[in-house]
Amino acid sequence: GSPEEFINKNREALESEYVSSNLHHWIDLVFGYKQRGKSAAEAANIFYYLTYEGAVDLDNVEDDLQRSAIEDQIANFGQTPIQIFRKKHPRRGPPIPIAHPLKFAPAAISLTSVVSNMTNPPASAVLSVNVFDSYVVTVNQNFIMSVKLWLTTSLQSGGSFTFSGSQDPFFGIGSDALAPCKIGCPLAENFELGSQCFSTLQTPSENFLISCGNWENSFQVISLRDGRLVQSVRYHKDIVSCIAVTPDGSFVASGSYDTTVMVWEVVSRDNSIIAASPLHILCGHDDVILCLVASAELNLVMSGSKDGTCILHALREGRYVRSIRHPSGAPLTKLAASRHGKIVLYADDLNLHLYSVNGNRISSVESNGRICSLQLSSCGDFLVCSGDQGQIAVRSMNSLDVLMKYGGVGKSISSLAVTPEECFIAGTRDGNLLVYSVERPQLRKPSLQRNSKSSS
């Protein structure tokens, strides 16, 4: 009775282990050695001769009537794909759980290290954590930005951080790539900073942090190479309250107290990273914009407002698509959207609401505590939540059911990042970073003794 559930079940079937283990048989029939000849006949895989590549050369058919008849027959029967393989296609290997632990081995993920910040002044709440291009970028409540290495081996480098725990993880946070530095200009009065105020941008030449919330109604582009201010973009008529960057780094979206959303092209030329004027100015909200999601893959920019609505606009064309209203009209403080077209709304009423991109409500659940961060896994199938309870909860993006919970250190989690390897890095209100990853398996030495049965 649910179109969404129908699609989910079909996707699960097509991506199941059964299909993966038998896919090579289909390849043999359509593109491989069973397409032609004796093997094709034995597999009852023979089609009309004109459907095969090279069966007839139309350029050499001089009789127009015969040529037209052949073209009609080809159009009627269709065409067999080009034969690519002449030998049996190998069977696909089994999935490697370590490559996708959330899907295949969620229980293998655990808190592997607690990273304590040693910077001066004393650390404050970590408001933003971003992981990309082998770096971990954090910003705390004192507007101190830190850029550290994201290590994907067992090697660890302390730098100004200390590691605790006796585990030997695959992943860890390393030394400074850029020494902690103060960023930004003075904040607007009574403005509350949060993760929605920061985003990272990767260009072919350099990586940047984009921040907002400044008193001068701008958002700023800061180099992650040396911490310098590269560009200050001022176009909104009031405070810029949130920022979002498309994963491919081609567009930036900004939301403001002036109730508009602006879409900007990333140009990276003439000493500018962001275009001088917005590509689109999007209207429709009646109050301040509190959260944004920009997706080049879905061609959508989604904005959540204090007026209780989520409005969808086409990212490239700027046209209005639809509005989704929170069931109780509460101010929307968090948004998440998967590449499969699922949208999650969160407001401070402590409920999560799942919608399709067409505006149909699929599910609603209690969040069991205030949520400070919503992040998606790289595959888009899992919603990772954290908040005041100091835990990380992994939910299904099909139903919002809790699939797994991970404990912390008893501290409220203020920010969260999910790495491409499906590790979690959580920032706490006391300035620490918690790293959740898969532990390195213990390797056993082979026995030198063999019994007679195994030897034979």
Side-chain angles (χ1 to χ4, degrees):
S2 166
E4 291 79 17
E5 185 65 14
F6 177 78
I7 295 298
N8 293 338
K9 292 300 182 185
N10 276 274
R11 182 178 287 120
E12 290 175 4
L14 290 171
E15 297 177 358
S16 69
E17 181 56 27
Y18 176 82
V19 170
S20 293
S21 62
N22 288 280
L23 193 60
H24 60 293
H25 297 311
W26 178 82
I27 294 173
D28 289 338
L29 288 168
V30 179
F31 301 105
Y33 81 103
K34 289 184 179 181
Q35 189 194 90
R36 301 188 184 196
K38 183 180 178 181
S39 298
E42 292 173 351
N45 194 37
I46 300 296
F47 297 90
Y48 190 64
Y49 80 99
L50 285 179
T51 69
Y52 291 93
E53 179 192 27
V56 63
D57 187 358
L58 288 174
D59 293 334
N60 291 328
V61 178
E62 297 179 356
D63 188 324
D64 291 341
L65 186 61
Q66 184 182 8
R67 179 191 180 97
S68 177
I70 293 174
E71 289 177 342
D72 288 343
Q73 290 181 79
I74 292 174
N76 180 65
F77 286 101
Q79 285 188 285
T80 304
I82 297 173
Q83 187 177 16
I84 301 174
F85 307 108
R86 308 292 176 177
K87 297 180 180 179
K88 289 184 178 181
H89 196 280
R91 178 177 177 175
R92 185 180 184 183
I96 303 174
I98 193 66
H100 300 285
L102 276 179
K103 184 173 183 179
F104 297 111
I109 301 173
S110 63
L111 178 59
T112 52
S113 62
V114 179
V115 185
S116 301
N117 198 339
M118 298 292 195
T119 59
N120 288 312
S124 60
V126 181
L127 296 181
S128 174
V129 180
N130 281 281
V131 179
F132 74 110
D133 197 23
S134 300
Y135 296 102
V136 179
V137 183
T138 64
V139 182
N140 69 16
Q141 202 161 17
N142 293 328
F143 249 97
I144 302 296
M145 179 182 74
S146 175
V147 183
K148 297 196 173 289
L149 297 176
W150 173 238
L151 304 177
T152 56
T153 69
S154 60
L155 298 176
Q156 298 176 353
S157 179
S160 61
F161 283 76
T162 59
F163 289 81
S164 63
S166 58
Q167 306 295 341
D168 185 21
F170 274 112
F171 311 101
I173 297 176
S175 59
D176 290 335
L178 173 67
C181 58
K182 185 84 171 181
I183 62 169
C185 61
L187 289 178
E189 188 176 357
N190 298 323
F191 183 80
E192 184 177 353
L193 274 177
S195 59
Q196 76 280 359
C197 299
F198 306 95
S199 191
T200 48
L201 170 65
Q202 187 173 4
T203 68
S205 60
E206 197 173 348
N207 300 327
F208 303 94
L209 175 77
I210 301 181
S211 70
C212 64
N214 307 311
W215 66 272
E216 60 179 6
N217 304 340
S218 70
F219 64 88
Q220 299 185 336
V221 182
I222 299 160
S223 169
L224 294 180
R225 182 186 299 164
D226 51 22
R228 63 190 169 87
L229 176 62
V230 176
Q231 188 178 3
S232 181
V233 181
R234 184 177 180 181
Y235 211 92
H236 282 283
K237 295 180 180 179
D238 208 334
I239 302 165
V240 180
S241 50
C242 51
I243 206 83
V245 179
T246 57
D248 65 351
S250 56
F251 296 95
V252 173
S254 58
S256 171
Y257 273 60
D258 65 13
T259 74
T260 68
V261 173
M262 296 187 184
V263 177
W264 309 78
E265 286 187 290
V266 177
V267 292
S268 297
R269 63 174 181 266
D270 300 330
N271 298 320
S272 295
I273 306 302
I274 309 298
S277 58
L279 179 65
H280 305 297
I281 300 177
L282 309 176
C283 303
H285 288 290
D286 297 325
D287 213 327
V288 56
I289 313 298
L290 298 177
C291 48
L292 281 173
V293 172
S295 171
E297 190 170 11
L298 295 176
N299 191 31
L300 288 174
V301 56
M302 309 168 212
S303 52
S305 170
K306 193 174 180 180
D307 64 14
T309 62
C310 171
I311 297 183
L312 281 60
H313 286 89
L315 178 69
R316 296 177 179 87
E317 299 80 12
R319 59 179 171 81
Y320 170 82
V321 178
R322 68 179 45 85
S323 297
I324 302 174
R325 184 166 183 79
H326 187 276
S328 65
L332 296 179
T333 57
K334 298 285 185 295
L335 280 178
S338 76
R339 59 189 180 90
H340 299 311
K342 302 288 181 59
I343 303 171
V344 177
L345 312 182
Y346 174 76
D348 287 336
D349 65 345
L350 307 183
N351 286 291
L352 290 164
H353 303 281
L354 179 65
Y355 286 82
S356 73
V357 75
N358 295 321
N360 300 319
R361 185 160 61 154
I362 300 170
S363 176
S364 296
V365 298
E366 293 184 2
S367 62
N368 298 321
R370 183 172 178 265
I371 290 178
C372 296
S373 184
L374 291 179
Q375 298 292 331
L376 285 173
S377 63
S378 56
C379 65
D381 294 331
F382 305 101
L383 180 71
V384 187
C385 314
S386 63
D388 286 347
Q389 291 188 329
Q391 293 182 324
I392 293 177
V394 178
R395 295 177 179 268
S396 165
M397 273 298 284
N398 294 330
S399 62
L400 294 181
D401 293 339
V402 175
L403 305 177
M404 200 75 185
K405 282 188 177 183
Y406 303 95
V409 291
K411 302 293 184 179
S412 176
I413 295 176
S414 52
S415 56
L416 180 70
V418 181
T419 75
E421 306 88 359
E422 296 181 356
C423 300
F424 312 139
I425 302 180
T428 66
R429 293 205 179 278
D430 60 355
N432 292 329
L433 293 177
L434 312 180
V435 180
Y436 296 77
S437 64
V438 178
E439 298 174 9
R440 179 178 295 276
Q442 298 296 320
L443 300 178
R444 296 182 179 179
K445 295 181 180 180
S447 174
L448 297 179
Q449 295 181 346
R450 303 166 74 182
N451 57 38
S452 58
K453 186 177 180 180
S454 62
S455 298
S456 62

